[in-house]
Each structure stands twice: as C-alpha cells, then as structure tokens.
Amino acid sequence: MLKKYFRRLESIIALAQSLMTPKQFLFLSSVLIGISCSLAVIVLKTFAHSVFSFATYINGILKLSFINSILPIIGITLTVFVVNKVLNGSIQKGTSQILYAVAKKASIIPRKQMYAQIVTSSLTVGLGGSAGLESPIVITGAAFGSNYAQNYKMQYKDRTLLIGCGVAAGIAAAFNAPIAGVLFAIEVLLVDVSIAAFTPIMISAATGALVSAIVLDESILLSFKKQESFDYHNIPFYVILGVLTGLVAIYYSRNFQRVEHYFAKQQINPYKKALIGSSLLALLIFIFPTLFGEGYESIRTLSETDPGKLLDNTLFADFRNNQWVLLLFVGATMMVKVFASGLTIGSGGNGGNFAPSLFLGSYLGYFFSKLITMLGLSKLPITNFTMVGMAGILSGLFHAPLTAIFLIAEITGGYGLMIPLMIVSSISFAISKRFEKYSLDVKGLAKKGHAFTSNKDSNILSTLDIDSIIQCDYLTVHPDENLTKLVDLISHSNQVVFAVVNHDKDLVGVVHFNDIREIIFNSYRVKYTFIRDVMKAPAATISTLDSMEIVMRKFETTKSAFLPVLRDGKYHGFISKSIALEAYRTKLRSMTIE
C-alpha cells in the first residue's frame, strides 16, 4: 500500500516536472526535500528524546545509576548488528562523505544512506551513545537531495544544489534555525555557490524549520528562554573564553581522532570491539551520567537557575548544593566528553560531533564564568557565557564561525548576544585554524589526499582524473639514433616534443623541436648528430599517481608546455599544459552552481 502511494506521488512530481520550467521545478523540489528531511528529523529526535525520558524515569524510581550505562551497550551492539546484517557490513560516517560525493562522485550518494543513517544513529544515540544526531541528519538530507535529483534526471549542478537543500533543511529542522541551516550548507559543504543558488536552499531550510516547529514538541528542541543583557565591561572575559574554546576545540579534535583511529586499527570481531568500546563508555556514563545521549537536557539545566540538578541520581548527589563539587563535576565531564564520543563512534556506533561540540561549549562557558564569579574576580552572566561557549567550540571544531554565530542566536530567541558571539567565534576559529588546517570532518579526507576546502582551484583540480588528459600516442626516439629518424617523425606528425627512451622504456631525456630547429635544415649535421647529443633532461616528470594540483604546480614551476609522464618508473606519455587547462575550464563550467 505504501509502495503504491509513493509511486503515485512520483507520477505527480514527474508530471509537474514536465509542466514547469527547470527553475520552477527546482523550487518545488527544494520544498519537497525540506519536508522529507524534517520528517526524518522528527523521527530521530522523538525516538532519542523518548528513550532518554524513559531512562530518566526508571532512574528516578529505582535510584540505580547503572541503568543508563546498560542502554548504550545495547544500542551500539544493535547498531553493529544492523550494519553487518542489513547494510552489507559498512556504513560511512561523518559529513566528509558528502564533500567527497560532490567532488569525486558527481554528487551521487548511495540510496541506502536515505535510511541507514536514521536507523543506526537512532539505535546508537537514542539508546544513550554519547554522540549527536545532526551528522546523520545532514547525511540523510544530502542523500534525499541526491537521490531525488537522480530519480528525475537532473543535472550535476542541480543535484549538488539539492544536496545543499537537504543539508540546510536537516539543520534547520533539528534546531528550528533556518538561517543556521543555510549557512551550514554553504559554509561547510557547498563553499562555492552564487547568490542565486541561495534561494532554493533558503526555501528548503524554511520548509524544514516550519514543519519541525509545527510537528515536533518544543521541549525536544534545543532552545533557551533565559538570557541576560550584554554588558560591554565583560568583553575581556569573552576574549579569554574565545581563546579557551579554540584550545579546547583543538584538544577535542586531536583526542577524538586518536580514540577513533585506535579502534580502527584493532583487527578484532566487530561485536567484540563494540562490547569493549561500549563497556568503557558505560563506565564513563556511570560516573558522569550527563554523558548519556546528545546531552541537550543537561545543557538546558546548566543555563537554568538550579544547575545542581545535574548531580541528581549520580554518585555525587549528596553534594548537590556544593558549588565547588558541581564546578569540578562540570569540568571533569567536559574533559572526558571527547573520550565518550570517540568510544561511541569508534567502537561501531553511528553519530556525529555537532551535539558534542555544543555540549562541550556550554560546559566550558559555564565552568569559566562560574569559576571567575566564585573567585570574586567579577560577577559574570553565567547563562550568557554558557550559550556563547557553544558557538566557540562549534566554530573552532567545524571551522564554521558564521554557522556558530547564527545558530546560537536563533536558538536563544534573539540577537542580544551577537557581539560576544562574534568575538568568541572569530577568536576560536582563528586559533583552531592556526593549529589545525582542516576541520574535524575534513581531516580524514586530507590524510587520504582528498581535502576539499574553500580554495576553489584546489577543489576543481582534485576532481580531475590525470589519466584522462595523458596523451600516450606520442612517438618516441632512441638515444643512439641520428637525427634522420627524428626529422622523419617531425615531417609526418604534429609533435613538437619527443621522449627519448632506451630499450627498457626508461625515459633518458626529451628533445624539443625548437632546440634542433637550426640543425634539421643542415643535412650533414642531421646525418652525423645523434639524439643523445641534443636531448635534455626533462624539467620535471609527472607520475600517474600525482594529483592534478601537483601536476599544475609543476607546470607553473618549470614554465614548460609539455611534461613527460611515468608509470611504474617507465615512460608512459605526455601531458600538455593547454589540454590540462582546457580540462580545468570544462570542469569549472560544469561545477559552477548558479
């Protein structure tokens, strides 16, 4: 019945496509993508919130702290089971795969990502894994956009744009923050779009936020009502917080990858790996129960009048009213959060680092402002620092200051904190960027040689296939031959450069036509001059394993028009600079989103 309904809907959309202009259909598509993504968000968020509420309710009755520790073990183990039995043993994690799909896979995202992320992340995070749902939401939205575009035979530009629509709608629906959704799509994923491309992305983000606001219970969303006025006298403390958030973002990024890589190197049964990792996570949650799940409830608690509630049903419940114990608890939780998230994802669970970054930022903001206040150095607005700290970590970890600024501005219900948000986010970004060239999600790609950044030229060059521009039909000469052979080749071809190879196909030199122009018109010199006498060492050689960015850098350095190519150390052909530039221009035209 459901399948029949979807087929009917597809027929209606196909009919609309035939009656509309491409731009009109793109606008319609952005609305449909926004609705689809918001529904996925509603399912994920509702499930995660329901499990957390149930676990908290059971905890309140039984007063047993270990209840929360058992659920993540079940959740991560079930996630591994689903991945191995349903998803063919693999699932891609992190938003970096969207970047890779856009740049290397013509914006083609596998169909299974439309449901795989929802199922696995709901099991992991919904049952208490210490990670976030935003990364799976973003990937799901991107998959919706990509597969929708494939289904209706849309071009690469429109496919990429609909991926951006899905991403924007996912973030907008998750936080009821449409501006942050648009900025995240453009700042983090689609770094090169024209102003005209904003329209469908904005439509999709607005649709996602609207559906989420109508259907999703407000208590599930991360939002704040309490906010104190901004006092410019506190600017020095916001500057310090910006520095701290930048340094903590670096700390999180490096340690998260250490934990994740440690588990990746372990060649053991995936179920055994899941049990080991989730058991360590369970121990951390037993000591620090606020590490359970996304942690948004504890963020709200920190910003309220009675943050001591964080110690309820913990090992430290007897110190509920002791401000120093609470402060130490918050500081310790902040420092071990990275290991909880690393264990969750590294051991086989699925989730992202968006929610952990907000968790970490709120705890750091609270810890810093509370410490300053308790030491009597100044009476700081703790709620404001708690919220601004989230922007600092988010900016430093994802290298997305604009997204961080507007996300926190939107979820706090106003722009009264805009100045401190700008100060903290920009400082954190600058410090993080100084020590970490790539954001957390891009670092893995960078290590594999697939880094996609805001450098448009690098992004385009990374998508070019070197094999497609190598000319392998160039005629070659032997060093012991005289110029008679070379003159004959010149008269019967358009070549202006020749590779000199020995009998083993080793490249021993090159001969340029311009270098022998005076000789070839002298028959005596042609007969008694050998190739080895006029050949020169190549200015540089290219390997078939080199990236196009390296190739173009060699052309720039040598000022050569042609460079020889080696495969496995043997001569393979030539690359012409003019052909390489033409390939770049063609790719540029196809990738420009207007």
Side-chain angles (χ1 to χ4, degrees):
M1 182 67 183
L2 192 61
K3 193 172 183 181
K4 185 178 180 181
Y5 168 78
F6 278 116
R7 282 180 179 173
R8 187 177 302 169
L9 180 61
E10 285 182 353
S11 300
I12 295 173
I13 296 173
L15 177 62
Q17 185 180 25
S18 66
L19 298 174
M20 294 178 171
T21 66
K23 181 159 284 189
Q24 289 171 340
F25 184 69
L26 189 61
F27 289 160
L28 172 64
S29 301
S30 65
V31 173
L32 297 176
I33 295 297
I35 295 172
S36 301
C37 294
S38 59
L39 293 176
V41 169
I42 290 166
V43 171
L44 272 173
K45 287 284 187 179
T46 302
F47 179 78
H49 183 75
S50 299
V51 172
F52 177 83
S53 299
F54 175 75
T56 304
Y57 174 73
I58 295 298
N59 245 5
I61 295 175
L62 301 179
K63 307 293 184 185
L64 298 175
S65 300
F66 64 82
I67 293 294
N68 276 9
S69 299
I70 295 174
L71 291 177
I73 298 176
I74 298 172
I76 293 174
T77 305
L78 284 176
T79 301
V80 172
F81 175 80
V82 170
V83 169
N84 281 277
K85 299 300 182 181
V86 180
L87 302 175
N88 301 320
S90 66
I91 183 172
Q92 293 177 306
K93 304 173 187 177
T95 55
S96 59
Q97 63 175 285
I98 304 175
L99 290 170
Y100 188 80
V102 170
K104 290 287 190 180
K105 301 293 183 180
S107 293
I108 303 294
I109 297 177
R111 184 174 292 272
K112 74 175 184 179
Q113 294 289 34
M114 296 171 66
Y115 59 87
Q117 298 290 333
I118 296 176
V119 174
T120 54
S121 63
S122 64
L123 289 173
T124 298
V125 183
L127 291 172
S130 194
L133 293 171
E134 286 73 27
S135 180
I137 285 170
V138 163
I139 298 168
T140 301
F144 280 159
S146 174
N147 284 276
Y148 176 96
Q150 294 174 59
N151 194 46
Y152 295 102
K153 307 293 189 296
M154 300 174 78
Q155 298 293 322
Y156 169 81
K157 294 178 184 178
D158 293 337
R159 249 192 338 265
T160 305
L161 191 53
L162 288 184
I163 284 178
C165 288
V167 169
I171 292 296
F175 294 100
N176 193 20
I179 297 175
V182 172
L183 290 173
F184 184 82
I186 294 171
E187 190 176 28
V188 177
L189 298 173
L190 306 180
V191 295
D192 180 48
V193 295
S194 66
I195 296 298
F198 274 64
T199 305
I201 294 177
M202 287 191 294
I203 292 172
S204 196
T207 303
L210 180 61
V211 174
S212 174
I214 293 172
V215 179
L216 201 59
D217 191 326
E218 187 179 357
S219 64
I220 297 177
L221 295 171
L222 180 62
S223 61
F224 302 91
K225 299 301 180 185
K226 183 183 175 184
Q227 181 183 150
E228 300 176 55
S229 59
F230 167 64
D231 183 352
Y232 70 89
H233 292 100
N234 293 326
I235 286 180
F237 294 103
Y238 284 116
V239 171
I240 297 172
L241 181 62
V243 174
L244 290 176
T245 52
L247 294 175
V248 172
I250 296 169
Y251 161 82
Y252 185 96
S253 178
R254 293 180 178 178
N255 284 288
F256 176 83
Q257 288 213 311
R258 286 192 183 102
V259 175
E260 194 176 35
H261 290 165
Y262 174 80
F263 278 95
K265 290 187 296 184
Q266 304 306 309
Q267 301 298 317
I268 57 177
N269 182 281
Y271 293 103
K272 185 177 180 180
K273 184 186 294 186
L275 286 173
I276 293 173
S278 60
S279 296
L280 292 172
L281 173 64
L283 179 60
L284 288 178
I285 292 177
F286 178 74
I287 301 172
F288 305 102
T290 54
L291 295 174
F292 184 92
E294 290 181 293
Y296 288 159
E297 287 78 7
S298 69
I299 294 176
R300 275 194 289 263
T301 301
L302 275 182
S303 66
E304 294 171 353
T305 54
D306 185 20
K309 288 191 293 186
L310 288 181
L311 298 180
D312 289 345
N313 300 322
T314 71
L315 299 176
F316 314 99
D318 293 340
F319 302 94
R320 186 191 193 287
N321 297 315
N322 188 313
Q323 295 299 308
W324 285 105
V325 172
L326 175 61
L327 189 66
L328 290 174
F329 177 82
V330 169
T333 305
M334 176 184 73
M335 298 307 289
V336 301
K337 176 64 175 180
V338 59
F339 301 103
S341 299
L343 289 169
T344 299
I345 299 174
S347 63
N350 187 23
N353 287 293
F354 204 100
S357 71
L358 298 179
F359 180 98
L360 195 65
S362 66
Y363 273 56
L364 176 58
Y366 177 89
F367 180 86
F368 172 71
S369 57
K370 188 70 173 179
L371 179 63
I372 295 297
T373 300
M374 291 173 65
L375 290 176
L377 299 177
S378 179
K379 184 172 176 55
L380 299 179
I382 295 173
T383 299
N384 288 1
F385 274 79
T386 300
M387 292 185 280
V388 172
M390 292 191 286
I393 297 293
L394 183 61
S395 174
L397 204 58
F398 289 93
H399 293 183
L402 290 177
T403 300
I405 291 169
F406 282 93
L407 175 66
I408 304 306
E410 287 186 280
I411 65 177
T412 55
Y415 293 87
L417 292 177
M418 185 57 71
I419 293 175
L421 284 171
M422 294 172 71
I423 292 171
V424 173
S425 295
S426 58
I427 293 175
S428 177
F429 171 72
I431 291 175
S432 177
K433 188 76 173 177
R434 170 65 180 81
F435 295 99
E436 292 287 342
K437 183 178 180 181
Y438 301 108
S439 66
L440 177 58
D441 278 351
V442 177
K443 282 174 72 175
L445 287 175
K447 289 184 178 180
K448 298 176 183 177
H450 301 307
F452 311 108
T453 69
S454 57
N455 187 323
K456 180 177 177 180
D457 289 335
S458 296
N459 292 346
I460 294 174
L461 288 172
S462 70
T463 67
L464 295 177
D465 181 12
I466 188 173
D467 288 328
S468 65
I469 60 173
I470 297 175
Q471 295 173 284
C472 301
D473 56 348
Y474 271 37
L475 303 170
T476 62
V477 291
H478 191 275
D480 294 331
E481 294 174 330
N482 60 28
L483 292 189
T484 303
K485 171 70 177 296
L486 185 57
V487 170
D488 183 59
L489 293 179
I490 291 174
S491 63
H492 291 88
S493 72
N494 295 322
Q495 278 183 231
V496 294
V497 61
F498 295 84
V500 183
V501 299
N502 58 24
H503 294 297
D504 295 324
K505 291 294 182 181
D506 295 319
L507 179 70
V508 294
V510 293
V511 177
H512 291 270
F513 173 74
N514 287 338
D515 293 338
I516 60 170
R517 188 187 298 272
E518 296 180 0
I519 299 176
I520 62 175
F521 294 108
N522 185 318
S523 59
Y524 177 82
R525 295 181 68 183
V526 167
K527 184 175 181 180
Y528 292 102
T529 301
F530 292 90
I531 299 293
R532 62 175 176 267
D533 298 326
V534 295
M535 70 181 187
K536 293 181 178 179
T541 60
I542 295 171
S543 167
T544 52
L545 300 178
D546 286 342
S547 67
M548 278 303 300
E549 192 170 2
I550 293 175
V551 171
M552 296 309 295
R553 194 179 301 131
K554 288 182 178 180
F555 273 122
E556 185 68 24
T557 302
T558 62
K559 308 298 181 184
S560 300
F562 298 89
L563 287 176
V565 181
L566 305 180
R567 183 186 290 276
D568 299 327
K570 306 293 184 181
Y571 168 75
H572 182 62
F574 272 95
I575 289 183
S576 164
K577 184 178 182 179
S578 62
I579 292 177
L581 289 174
E582 181 58 33
Y584 170 85
R585 285 191 288 269
T586 301
K587 179 64 74 170
L588 174 62
R589 286 192 295 270
S590 70
M591 292 183 69
T592 301
I593 302 173
E594 300 174 348

